[in-house]
Amino acid sequence: MTATVSDTVSRLNELLEAERAGVELLQAMIKTVPKGYFRNHLVKIEADEAFSCAVMERAVRAAGGEPSRGKNDFAAKVLALESLAERLDLLARGQMWVVKRLDAVAETVTDPEARKEIAEMRREHVDNVDWCNDQARELRAEQEE
Ligand SMILES: [Fe+2]
């Protein structure tokens, strides 16, 4: 597959805008839950999202581009949902979207350090998808008791 530099940059910037929205979303969700393991894990995901922003900024620069300053509307979409289980479902879907997008762009990234960081970012996102899905399932099971 041949991709132009501007293709790669615009795809990485699209992901950067998604990761910024992820930080915004996690910060908002953290405020809605009590102290405990669950909140601690949201803080972990927020840190992953913030680190992913840095990874995407570095990858954009390594590809010869200028990092976007934008942010997409994912946080508002998730926060519009009423229940925590629904929010976790959509958060998981959003993280999975990122995994697929990373897979699509990874082969066009030539910088070795950026490639390594993208692989780590992908792995963290897969872990976070699993955690969100597990938590949503547990919340629904609790409600049925
Ligand atoms: Fe993310």
Side-chain angles (χ1 to χ4, degrees):
M1 182 180 131
T2 52
T4 65
V5 168
S6 66
D7 276 344
T8 302
V9 167
S10 64
R11 287 169 177 209
L12 292 168
N13 268 330
E14 185 185 31
L15 282 159
L16 171 56
E17 292 178 4
E19 293 308 300
R20 280 217 188 94
V23 173
E24 179 188 24
L25 172 61
L26 269 297
Q27 284 174 349
M29 284 178 72
I30 286 161
K31 289 183 188 150
T32 69
V33 297
K35 283 184 182 173
Y37 292 113
F38 181 85
R39 191 167 84 177
N40 290 347
H41 205 99
L42 292 183
V43 171
K44 181 263 180 200
I45 298 177
E46 185 210 345
D48 289 341
E49 297 294 285
F51 193 74
S52 297
C53 290
V55 167
M56 288 296 97
E57 285 182 17
R58 281 194 288 271
V60 167
R61 289 208 174 88
E66 188 60 37
S68 163
R69 294 182 185 184
K71 183 174 69 183
N72 75 20
D73 62 355
F74 185 64
K77 281 183 186 161
V78 176
L79 295 171
L81 298 169
E82 288 200 0
S83 78
L84 185 53
E86 287 173 303
R87 290 178 178 185
L88 289 165
D89 287 340
L90 188 51
L91 177 55
R93 289 215 301 277
Q95 304 253 320
M96 204 60 222
W97 177 89
V98 168
V99 170
K100 286 179 187 149
R101 289 290 174 139
L102 284 173
D103 286 343
V105 78
E107 61 191 90
T108 73
V109 172
T110 53
D111 181 73
E113 193 58 31
R115 289 179 69 90
K116 199 175 124 204
E117 287 195 316
I118 285 171
E120 289 168 8
M121 177 177 162
R122 183 192 194 281
R123 193 174 59 227
E124 289 309 314
H125 276 74
V126 169
D127 285 353
N128 293 338
V129 167
D130 289 344
W131 183 83
C132 289
N133 284 332
D134 286 349
Q135 295 298 318
R137 199 160 38 236
E138 280 182 30
L139 280 168
R140 291 201 169 92
E142 281 167 21
Q143 280 160 10
E144 280 166 19
E145 274 169 16

